[in-house]
Amino acid sequence: MSSECANPLLLEWLGEWLETARQRNSKGQQTYKKAYDSMKACPLPFLHPSEAQQLSGLGPKLCDRLTERMRKHCAENGLPMPDMPQNDRKRLAEDVEGASSLPTKRARKPKSYVPFLRSGPYALILALSTLPEESSQGLTKGQLIQLAQPHCDSSFTAPSDPTKFFTAWNSMKTLLEKDLVFERGRPLRKYALTEEGWEVARRIGKAEAGKEGSLGAVPKCVGGKDEGHWVGVGPTRVWVEPETLSDHGKENQPHRPGNQQKNVLGPKSIAEVPAPANPSHAAASRKPHGAPKNKFSWRKVTARQGTISSQEGSDHDNDFMRISSRPLQPTAEQLEDGWHSIDSVCDPTDSPDTAGASVRQSNSREGLEELPPFEPIFLPIGSFTIHLVLDTREIRTKTDRDYMQEELAMKGVPPIVRSLELGDALWVAKCNDSRVLEAYGEEGDEVMLDWIVERKRLDDLVGSIKDGRFQEQKFRLRKSGVQNVVYIIEEISMNGDHWSKWQEAVESAIASTQVVNGYFVKKTQKMDDTIRYLARMTILLKSLYESKPLHIIPSSILSPRNYLPLLTHLGGNQNTNHHHITYPTFASLASKSESLTLRDIFLKMLMCTRGLSGEKALEIQRRWKTPREFVEAFEGLPGDRRGEMVMKASEKVVVGRRKIGRKLSEKIAEVWGGS
């Protein structure tokens, strides 16, 4: 067929390009077909490929491609490259001269396609670029999703919004329309990059190489001081400040009950032990028996939600978190309400007399019995691992209940799934030997860490504000004694009219959670962002906790009455290590029904009155300790004065949000005083 044409070589090349376009199902095959037919029907031989521009279907771009192919053919076969015809040269010179005489018009360069970072097209192009450029093979949909998912923030299998049907895989349609990807094969379709697609892939590769170079240039040591390091890889990479512990030993056996260990709250450990003159000796004298010798750095370090700041903005800006070693100290007013600070490890320069004063202050302030002395259970480094625990009710839809745990497992963080008494996610230290804690009379093999997550979708947050669950959950979180509470708010799309009605209430609730309660609020756009955040947090907590030993408060000395005062004392006393409790003990204390005291029931009864917040209920409970005492106070007053009793009692309150107005006072009197 080619021998009948006056330009068989040009026709052969056009035929190759036409066949390739047909195999790739490219939209350019019509252009190649028109050019092929014109070249085949042309009776005139061409001395140079640029002369073919006079034919229908062959434009400057296609002729330039034929010229380049001719140049390559001549170089391979040792032939001279034909000269461009004189007419073409003259026409080219006239075009250049005419263009220079005309007023210069700024050329508008067509924008090359650039996919958004970690979007669907971005991930698909990166996945397809794993194939060799000259390969004739392609990737199936399943193979492509498996390779692309780590590079994308959205799911390729499940919609980000359960009410919609679009996934990241719908981006393939965009790539096919832009002729960056071609598909072939029936019924099993396979996908591969076109030449334009490879150009985009190369640009992405250069951009990623430049970014990695800039990250790699971050010095680990500045001026001889360790400034921190990266933990994890890829989208779950986090930046951690200098390790709280230096090089440690390899002891894996916990301290046994028979060994001599410091009595944390006993009188000798606080009031009768003199302060050593040499601080280094003090550190050595306070080390628990069985702890690694000369390897443990006894520095004070804390990690609270107030000292963790994440980069807000786009999702890919949240790839790391910076950890500070400066804790936020609670105010005296917060300590009165049962708040407590955390000081992780012992500071050898602190005086035992200060700790004794702290105990006396704590006991006198709470008006409780003496805090019980105890010997903490010691778990050395390497005897436990950190795990994420996920509530069974954390599902995507009723028909897709395992989505969250499957995605976390794909990110290298397989969670433990169980029904939680409090929160939607938390972290535990799981002992490598399940019988370790049994030797101390404890249940289970897990230790509760001071981190808990409450996840709220925007519609769920509105519902919880309506029915009062939002305040009740924050009240229980406060009573749990957990230091670091994180509220994750998923800002899914809502009906405009419904959202405008509740927008102010939602914003007020979020601000109150941050300012009044002191909890960390993290906003995400969809469940996939929440999953990435939990994965990063797990890697972060592994680096923080697995590099230091754990001290556990025995469950036998704990009760709902002394739990919070004990944590308050241990958190405020810098002479003690940071202490934890076992997970079964935490679940029992955080249960809605198991640990309710008369005080808790009274507060719950008060908060049933509309407009009566937790802070105001606490003010009432401080004045009248029990429901009976409250009712008797109303009965001792004439009917016309009952409505202002609570209002007058709150006049001395300094904090404005705890004051009770006349209308609310009359409503309370109507419920409790029968007026």
Side-chain angles (χ1 to χ4, degrees):
M1 185 181 295
S2 299
S3 58
E4 301 174 0
C5 177
N7 303 281
L9 202 55
L10 300 180
L11 184 66
E12 180 183 350
W13 294 337
L14 289 173
E16 291 176 3
W17 297 339
L18 174 60
E19 186 62 29
T20 302
R22 283 174 175 170
Q23 290 178 358
R24 296 181 175 181
N25 197 24
S26 172
K27 292 187 294 184
Q29 59 179 308
Q30 297 298 330
T31 303
Y32 290 119
K33 179 72 169 70
K34 188 175 182 180
Y36 181 85
D37 292 341
S38 297
M39 183 66 70
K40 183 179 179 182
C42 179
L44 301 176
F46 298 134
L47 299 177
H48 192 274
S50 61
E51 295 178 318
Q53 193 169 342
Q54 57 189 295
L55 299 179
S56 175
L58 281 95
K61 186 175 180 181
L62 194 54
C63 289
D64 290 343
R65 192 175 175 188
L66 287 170
T67 303
E68 187 63 31
R69 185 64 183 271
M70 176 66 77
R71 189 177 290 108
K72 183 179 178 182
H73 173 76
C74 293
E76 289 175 352
N77 295 279
L79 301 174
M81 179 67 185
D83 296 329
M84 184 181 294
Q86 191 69 24
N87 292 338
D88 289 347
R89 289 183 183 178
K90 186 176 181 181
R91 190 185 308 114
L92 182 61
E94 289 176 354
D95 291 342
V96 173
E97 184 178 353
S100 60
S101 61
L102 293 174
T104 57
K105 190 175 181 180
R106 192 169 184 179
R108 201 170 190 181
K109 293 183 179 179
K111 285 187 177 181
S112 55
Y113 177 71
V114 180
F116 285 106
L117 181 65
R118 299 193 61 79
S119 63
Y122 172 89
L124 290 172
I125 290 174
L126 283 185
L128 290 171
S129 65
T130 57
L131 292 172
E133 190 168 353
E134 302 299 331
S135 173
S136 60
Q137 301 296 323
L139 294 175
T140 63
K141 180 179 178 180
Q143 295 170 337
L144 194 50
I145 288 176
Q146 188 174 2
L147 291 172
Q149 189 61 74
H151 305 288
C152 183
D153 289 340
S154 302
S155 173
F156 280 89
T157 56
S160 57
D161 188 345
T163 62
K164 298 179 180 178
F165 302 96
F166 295 99
T167 66
W169 179 254
N170 292 90
S171 306
M172 178 58 75
K173 184 178 179 181
T174 302
L175 298 179
L176 291 171
E177 289 176 351
K178 292 185 176 295
D179 207 19
L180 300 177
V181 174
F182 69 90
E183 62 176 358
R184 64 170 179 268
R186 295 289 187 278
L188 187 62
R189 299 185 182 184
K190 291 189 176 182
Y191 302 88
L193 291 175
T194 63
E195 292 182 5
E196 293 82 0
W198 278 108
E199 287 296 327
V200 176
R202 279 189 282 270
R203 287 200 300 270
I204 293 176
K206 289 179 181 179
E208 288 295 320
K211 185 187 299 183
E212 291 297 327
S214 62
L215 287 177
V218 176
K220 287 191 176 181
C221 292
V222 179
K225 183 179 179 181
D226 186 10
E227 295 296 330
H229 63 283
W230 290 99
V231 177
V233 294
T236 57
R237 180 177 59 227
V238 293
W239 178 264
V240 181
E241 289 284 336
E243 292 288 349
T244 60
L245 302 175
S246 59
D247 185 21
H248 50 74
K250 300 295 182 181
E251 290 186 81
N252 293 326
Q253 296 301 321
H255 171 68
R256 292 298 172 187
N259 295 343
Q260 296 296 322
Q261 193 175 9
K262 181 175 67 171
N263 187 333
V264 174
L265 292 178
K268 288 187 177 180
S269 67
I270 297 175
E272 299 180 12
V273 179
N278 191 342
S280 62
H281 293 167
S285 66
R286 292 173 188 156
K287 290 183 184 180
H289 184 78
K293 298 180 179 179
N294 301 325
K295 295 292 184 180
F296 189 89
S297 175
W298 292 85
R299 297 165 48 200
K300 183 172 71 175
V301 58
T302 58
R304 297 195 55 181
Q305 81 275 6
T307 58
I308 297 181
S309 60
S310 62
Q311 303 270 347
E312 293 294 341
S314 59
D315 295 335
H316 53 272
D317 290 334
N318 277 333
D319 282 349
F320 70 91
M321 303 160 70
R322 184 169 291 278
I323 303 302
S324 168
S325 60
R326 295 185 59 189
L328 291 178
Q329 297 297 334
T331 63
E333 189 177 288
Q334 290 170 340
L335 287 173
E336 285 184 5
D337 293 342
W339 287 43
H340 44 278
S341 61
I342 166 177
D343 291 300
S344 296
V345 278
C346 177
D347 188 347
T349 62
D350 293 327
S351 168
D353 296 334
T354 308
S358 173
V359 173
R360 289 190 292 274
Q361 266 188 348
S362 175
N363 290 339
S364 63
R365 180 174 63 241
E366 297 293 339
L368 302 176
E369 69 277 2
E370 289 292 325
L371 296 178
F374 68 92
E375 292 184 1
I377 303 169
F378 179 77
L379 292 181
I381 300 168
S383 63
F384 58 87
T385 53
I386 306 302
H387 295 271
L388 170 66
V389 182
L390 201 63
D391 189 58
T392 53
R393 289 155 290 197
E394 291 304 294
I395 61 174
R396 184 179 162 273
T397 60
K398 291 182 180 179
T399 58
D400 192 3
R401 307 185 69 88
D402 300 329
Y403 178 77
M404 204 168 198
Q405 49 261 43
E406 289 173 357
E407 290 296 314
L408 284 167
M410 288 177 62
K411 296 182 183 299
V413 185
I416 301 171
V417 182
R418 64 166 68 114
S419 179
L420 298 180
E421 293 288 348
L422 182 63
D424 297 318
L426 50 84
W427 286 267
V428 297
K430 193 174 183 65
C431 298
N432 297 333
D433 185 356
S434 60
R435 297 168 297 177
V436 167
L437 295 178
E438 293 179 5
Y440 301 91
E442 301 291 337
E443 296 181 8
D445 60 348
E446 295 174 347
V447 179
M448 177 68 189
L449 302 183
D450 280 334
W451 292 84
I452 193 167
V453 170
E454 184 71 36
R455 170 178 166 258
K456 292 283 185 189
R457 284 195 348 173
L458 210 53
D459 53 354
D460 182 34
L461 179 59
V462 171
S464 64
I465 292 173
K466 283 182 183 179
D467 58 22
R469 284 184 294 114
F470 186 65
Q471 293 294 338
E472 190 264 345
Q473 286 170 346
K474 290 198 294 184
F475 174 76
R476 293 180 60 218
L477 285 168
R478 178 175 168 182
K479 279 201 58 185
S480 70
V482 177
Q483 299 284 339
N484 306 282
V485 179
V486 179
Y487 261 85
I488 297 180
I489 309 295
E490 291 183 6
E491 297 181 314
I492 64 168
S493 58
M494 290 181 62
N495 179 272
D497 295 336
H498 185 61
W499 170 241
S500 61
K501 182 180 177 181
W502 288 96
Q503 181 177 4
E504 186 176 347
V506 169
E507 292 173 352
S508 176
I510 292 175
S512 172
T513 301
Q514 293 175 297
V515 178
V516 178
N517 303 106
Y519 298 155
F520 180 75
V521 176
K522 168 68 178 176
K523 292 183 179 180
T524 60
Q525 298 300 317
K526 50 185 178 293
M527 179 179 278
D528 295 317
D529 298 341
T530 302
I531 292 170
R532 282 192 301 277
Y533 180 76
L534 292 175
R536 291 197 299 268
M537 283 296 299
T538 304
I539 294 174
L540 171 68
L541 295 179
K542 277 180 172 288
S543 69
L544 286 177
Y545 283 98
E546 290 184 354
S547 57
K548 61 184 178 182
L550 293 181
H551 299 79
I552 306 166
I553 304 173
S555 303
S556 57
I557 69 153
L558 292 175
S559 68
R561 186 171 177 80
N562 68 15
Y563 173 57
L564 286 180
L566 183 61
L567 288 183
T568 302
H569 163 67
L570 292 174
N573 184 8
Q574 297 181 353
N575 287 326
T576 59
N577 297 288
H578 183 205
H579 291 76
H580 305 268
I581 61 175
T582 62
Y583 176 76
T585 303
F586 171 81
S588 176
L589 291 170
S591 174
K592 285 186 178 180
S593 56
E594 285 189 30
S595 61
L596 281 180
T597 62
L598 179 60
R599 178 176 182 264
D600 301 332
I601 296 174
F602 185 26
L603 289 173
K604 281 178 171 287
M605 292 169 68
L606 288 170
M607 290 173 64
C608 289
T609 304
R610 188 176 184 87
L612 190 58
S613 64
E615 289 83 1
K616 294 176 181 177
L618 280 171
E619 287 300 322
I620 295 175
Q621 200 273 338
R622 285 196 183 94
R623 175 66 178 81
W624 298 279
K625 301 296 183 184
T626 63
R628 180 172 181 174
E629 186 179 344
F630 194 41
V631 172
E632 288 176 350
F634 280 110
E635 292 176 349
L637 293 174
D640 58 342
R641 293 179 55 192
R642 292 180 182 180
E644 58 185 21
M645 183 188 78
V646 179
M647 180 188 71
K648 288 185 175 181
S650 68
E651 286 178 350
K652 298 180 180 180
V653 178
V654 178
V655 183
R657 66 176 179 274
R658 298 182 181 179
K659 290 185 177 181
I660 298 174
R662 179 176 293 275
K663 288 186 178 180
L664 182 57
S665 179
E666 292 174 352
K667 189 184 296 185
I668 295 171
E670 183 181 350
V671 174
W672 291 87
S675 60

